């Protein structure tokens, strides 16, 4: 039987990872169930090892890096790829592993796809200032210009790449685990745990408390909303000083725990204005709750009028008004519509089938007939 072998390679994989790990884990599980397809996943680790098709390649740990490792040597990654001899390689970050994949391509003569998960020029300028932006854009243009096809999780990201002169760019949205994130995860006891009554509107934000999430906007919004509203902030690096109507769970929470909190809330609140996709938005919608987010980044592509409300970015008064409007116009109906929307458009099975279309396109006549499963 012919087998097509797909290899993913990334350094964005750690115990408390965000969207890239969620994507790769979901993909690895589903490709493993497809007849005629083998999937290998190369990630950084303390030593060279393999378990269930996941290969760890030695890379030093980052200090204060929450489990992340930063590869410094290209050869170990290239060597594992050469030993595996995949038919296609997908790159999940713009650093050394990307160049290792391109280096392996020269020996293996296989196509390499780049998935542009993070807006690198924006990330660097946020931390170092705009003086580096031109150089980082030139780097992105050079690196992603080498790939046979480039995938971006949203139209806004694809347009940025096209604007830099990158060709063969395609929009490939991510997905959500519809079983884990489900209205049935609702816990009627959560309000009592938080010390709030049944008439209080419970809002939630889940994610890292990084600068680009604009948490001060959420906190100011809650001051404006007052005690009939309560916000649950869930994730690492959350602020310590918060208004009385905010509760902080300052730790990384596994998906089932987040799913319980999501389904028990009345709406998701998100002030981030630089999101390349926004998996947490899909998780909230899958949990059967509507969304109040800012009209920026990829949110304008994900949050439809049937699923929630968008407001101007960096404007806590506008966000508070949007929250009041949401609860004045049938938030439960929007939550049910949100669940149906993600079921139709964002299941991981839908995403993986779309990915197989991209792989088929770059492999062309080399795609085995038995791998269509």
């Amino acid at each position: 039987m012919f087998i097509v072998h797909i290899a993913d390679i990334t350094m964005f994989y750690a115990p408390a990872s965000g969207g890239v790990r969620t994507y790769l884990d979901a993909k690895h599980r589903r490709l493993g169930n497809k007849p005629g397809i083998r999937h290998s996943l190369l990630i950084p680790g303390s030593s060279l090892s393999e378990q269930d098709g996941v290969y760890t390649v030695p890379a030093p740990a980052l200090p204060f890096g929450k489990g992340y490792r930063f590869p410094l040597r290209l050869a170990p990654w290239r060597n594992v790829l050469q030993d595996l001899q995949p038919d296609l390689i997908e790159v999940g970050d713009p650093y050394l592993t990307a160049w290792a994949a391109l280096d392996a391509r020269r020996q293996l003569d296989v196509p390499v796809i780049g998935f542009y998960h993070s807006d690198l020029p924006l990330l660097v300028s946020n931390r170092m200032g705009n003086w580096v932006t031109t150089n980082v854009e030139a780097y992105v243009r050079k690196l992603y210009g080498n790939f046979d096809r480039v995938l971006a999780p949203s139209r806004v990201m694809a347009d940025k790449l096209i604007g830099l002169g990158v060709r063969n760019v395609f929009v490939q949205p991510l997905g959500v685990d519809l079983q884990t994130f489900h209205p049935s995860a609702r816990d009627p006891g959560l309000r009592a745990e938080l010390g709030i009554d049944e008439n209080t509107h419970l809002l939630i934000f889940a994610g890292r408390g990084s600068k680009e999430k604009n948490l001060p906007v959420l906190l100011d919004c809650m001051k404006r909303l007052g005690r009939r509203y309560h916000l649950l902030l869930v994730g690492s690096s959350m602020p310590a000083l918060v208004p009385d109507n905010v509760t902080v769970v300052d730790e990384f929470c596994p998906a089932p725990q987040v799913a319980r909190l999501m389904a028990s809330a009345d709406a998701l609140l998100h002030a981030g204005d630089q999101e390349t996709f926004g998996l947490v938005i899909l998780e909230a919608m899958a949990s059967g709750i509507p969304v109040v987010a800012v009209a920026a980044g990829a949110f304008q592509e994900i949050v439809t009028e049937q699923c929630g409300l968008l407001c101007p970015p960096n404007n806590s008064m506008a966000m508070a008004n949007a929250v009041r409007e949401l609860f004045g116009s049938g938030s439960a109906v929007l939550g049910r519509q949100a669940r149906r929307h993600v079921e139709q458009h964002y299941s991981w099975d839908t995403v993986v089938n779309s990915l197989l279309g991209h792989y088929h396109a770059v492999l062309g006549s080399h795609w085995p007939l038995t791998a269509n499963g």
Side-chain angles (χ1 to χ4, degrees):
M1 181 177 78
F2 285 106
I3 291 182
V4 64
H5 184 185
I6 298 155
D8 269 274
I9 182 169
T10 189
M11 64 162 273
F12 288 156
Y13 199 100
S17 283
V20 178
R21 176 171 181 166
T22 300
Y23 160 70
L24 291 172
D25 284 348
K27 176 180 170 181
H28 189 63
R29 281 194 297 273
R30 281 157 183 82
L31 288 181
N33 292 329
K34 293 221 174 247
I37 294 179
R38 177 185 172 192
H39 184 242
S40 298
L41 176 55
L42 281 67
I43 60 170
S46 58
S47 60
L48 192 62
S49 66
E50 184 272 336
Q51 184 175 1
D52 299 327
V54 179
Y55 295 78
T56 59
V57 184
L62 284 170
F64 316 113
K66 296 184 175 22
Y68 281 97
R69 294 173 176 272
F70 198 91
L72 297 175
R73 295 179 57 236
L74 186 145
W77 296 83
R78 181 194 60 217
N79 293 344
V80 172
L81 284 172
Q82 286 175 351
D83 289 345
L84 287 172
Q85 296 203 316
D87 300 298
L88 178 147
I89 304 167
E90 181 179 309
V91 169
D93 71 70
Y95 303 109
L96 180 137
T97 54
W99 296 105
L102 291 170
D103 209 27
R105 175 172 69 181
R106 284 191 278 275
Q107 280 81 30
L108 299 171
D109 190 27
V110 297
V112 180
I113 288 178
F115 206 130
Y116 192 60
H117 288 285
S118 301
D119 188 341
L120 188 62
L122 189 60
L123 281 174
V124 175
S125 67
N126 280 345
R127 285 157 178 75
M128 299 178 66
N130 292 333
W131 64 275
V132 292
T133 303
T134 303
N135 286 344
V136 179
E137 287 178 343
Y139 174 83
V140 168
R141 180 166 50 248
K142 179 182 178 184
L143 173 59
Y144 286 85
N146 276 299
F147 296 126
D148 296 273
R149 179 170 287 215
V150 177
L151 305 179
S154 57
R155 182 77 258 164
V156 67
M157 289 283 277
D159 288 344
K160 285 189 176 189
L161 286 168
I162 292 165
L164 293 177
V166 179
R167 294 181 297 176
N168 290 326
V169 180
F170 295 81
V171 178
Q172 174 54 67
L174 303 180
V176 63
D177 184 336
L178 294 169
Q179 282 70 50
T180 299
F181 293 93
H182 192 280
S184 64
R186 184 176 180 86
D187 181 355
L190 180 62
R191 276 178 161 74
E193 271 181 49
L194 296 173
I196 61 175
D197 63 40
E198 290 301 312
N199 298 319
T200 301
H201 298 303
L202 180 58
L203 308 167
I204 187 169
F205 169 79
R208 291 187 308 278
S210 49
K211 179 185 172 186
E212 55 268 19
K213 304 299 181 184
N214 292 336
L215 296 188
V217 175
L218 295 190
L219 300 182
D220 199 51
C221 170
M222 294 310 296
K223 286 179 188 173
R224 294 174 184 278
L225 286 171
R227 57 190 178 84
R228 287 188 56 239
Y229 297 84
H230 197 92
L231 174 65
L232 188 55
L233 285 180
V234 183
S236 55
S237 306
M238 289 296 173
L241 293 173
V242 298
D244 292 341
N245 60 345
V246 176
T247 298
V248 177
V249 180
D250 187 17
E251 61 184 19
F252 171 78
C253 296
Q257 192 176 337
V258 176
R260 167 186 166 252
L261 299 174
M262 285 273 194
S264 307
D266 299 316
L268 179 88
L269 206 54
H270 204 316
D273 59 354
Q274 300 177 5
E275 297 297 312
T276 60
F277 184 70
L279 274 176
V280 70
I281 296 274
L282 292 190
E283 291 169 352
M285 289 160 63
S287 302
I289 65 172
V291 172
V292 174
V294 297
F299 292 165
Q300 295 173 96
E301 301 169 44
I302 299 175
V303 183
T304 68
E305 290 178 0
Q306 287 75 41
C307 305
L309 294 173
L310 295 175
C311 61
N314 298 305
N315 187 330
S316 59
M317 183 182 291
M319 178 162 271
N321 289 338
V323 170
R324 292 190 192 98
E325 182 184 342
L326 181 85
F327 288 107
S329 61
S331 59
V333 173
L334 288 174
R336 288 192 291 271
Q337 291 173 175
R339 171 69 192 186
R340 285 197 297 272
H341 184 69
V342 293
E343 285 174 345
Q344 290 167 3
H345 301 286
Y346 293 105
S347 77
W348 279 120
D349 288 334
T350 300
V351 171
V352 168
N353 286 335
S354 179
L355 282 169
L356 290 174
H358 292 296
Y359 301 159
H360 194 292
V362 295
L363 285 166
S365 60
H366 299 291
W367 183 271
L369 291 174
T370 54
N372 291 330

